[in-house]
């Protein structure tokens, strides 16, 4: 099933994040589920901003920023999940760089992984990875789309 969430504007991003969490509640709740979410979007489309809103809706009080230079940030949550990993793979040039940071350990940990710029890592991502596309619209809104199995 194809699904779309509309982010009307920045003032409504938390509502869109809440809707995203509701859609994926069963995956988040399943301790054995692979929880990788690959975010595809052009530069400036709002990947980090949307991930920040999702983490805040899940109870994080950490300062959530793009892990462009760190490659991965870990956020603590007050919800049942306890942790989220946030990747920014924009600077990754070779698969060896992913393996050097132990990315596969993160991806298969059962802890949610939100991955920006996943193109370089696609062959390392679990088959169950959910691919999310964010498309900016002329009116300033964003369409977040993905497919989920019923």
């Amino acid at each position: 099933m194809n699904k779309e969430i509309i982010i009307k504007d920045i003032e409504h991003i938390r509502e869109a994040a809440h809707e995203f969490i509701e859609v994926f509640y069963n995956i988040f709740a399943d301790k054995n589920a692979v929880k990788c979410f690959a975010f595809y979007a052009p530069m400036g489309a709002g990947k980090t901003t949307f991930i920040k809103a999702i983490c805040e809706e899940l109870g994080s009080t950490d300062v959530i920023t793009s892990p462009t230079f760190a490659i991965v940030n870990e956020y603590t949550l007050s919800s049942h999940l306890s942790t989220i990993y946030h990747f920014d793979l924009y600077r990754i040039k070779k698969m060896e760089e992913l393996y050097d940071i132990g990315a596969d350990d993160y991806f298969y940990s059962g802890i949610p992984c939100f991955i920006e710029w996943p193109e370089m890592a696609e062959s390392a991502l679990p088959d169950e990875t959910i691919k999310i596309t964010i498309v900016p619209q002329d009116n300033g809104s964003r369409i977040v789309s993905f497919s989920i199995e019923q």
Side-chain angles (χ1 to χ4, degrees):
M1 172 174 85
N2 292 329
K3 174 83 174 142
E4 287 186 350
I5 296 173
I6 307 292
I7 304 172
K8 296 177 194 172
D9 51 40
I10 195 70
E11 289 80 28
H12 293 92
I13 197 163
R14 294 283 294 261
E15 293 170 16
H18 184 79
E19 185 177 347
F20 180 89
I21 293 165
E22 284 184 343
V23 169
F24 292 110
Y25 178 80
N26 290 335
I27 291 173
F28 287 133
D30 183 350
K31 293 192 184 302
N32 298 313
V34 173
K35 300 172 180 78
C36 287
F37 299 86
F39 289 81
Y40 295 83
M43 185 77 71
K47 295 180 293 293
T48 300
T49 305
F50 189 53
I51 290 169
K52 178 181 188 288
I54 294 167
C55 291
E56 289 171 348
E57 283 294 302
L58 288 168
S60 180
T61 57
D62 292 336
V63 175
I64 297 164
T65 59
S66 177
T68 301
F69 296 102
I71 300 176
V72 61
N73 286 344
E74 180 177 335
Y75 307 125
T76 303
L77 306 175
S78 62
S79 69
H80 66 284
L81 293 173
S82 76
T83 303
I84 282 186
Y85 297 125
H86 179 194
F87 290 81
D88 183 330
L89 303 181
Y90 185 77
R91 295 182 15 203
I92 296 291
K93 302 297 180 220
K94 299 182 289 187
M95 286 299 291
E96 291 80 29
E97 294 175 71
L98 273 181
Y99 296 124
D100 287 347
I101 66 165
D104 48 341
D105 291 334
Y106 289 106
F107 297 159
Y108 291 91
S109 68
I111 294 172
C113 294
F114 295 141
I115 306 158
E116 297 184 45
W117 302 105
E119 290 83 356
M120 174 54 83
E122 285 180 335
S123 64
L125 295 175
D127 292 340
E128 302 86 356
T129 298
I130 297 167
K131 295 179 179 178
I132 299 152
T133 304
I134 301 175
V135 180
Q137 303 300 296
D138 291 339
N139 65 2
S141 67
R142 305 289 194 259
I143 297 176
V144 179
S145 60
F146 47 88
S147 293
I148 53 175
E149 294 181 20
Q150 293 286 16

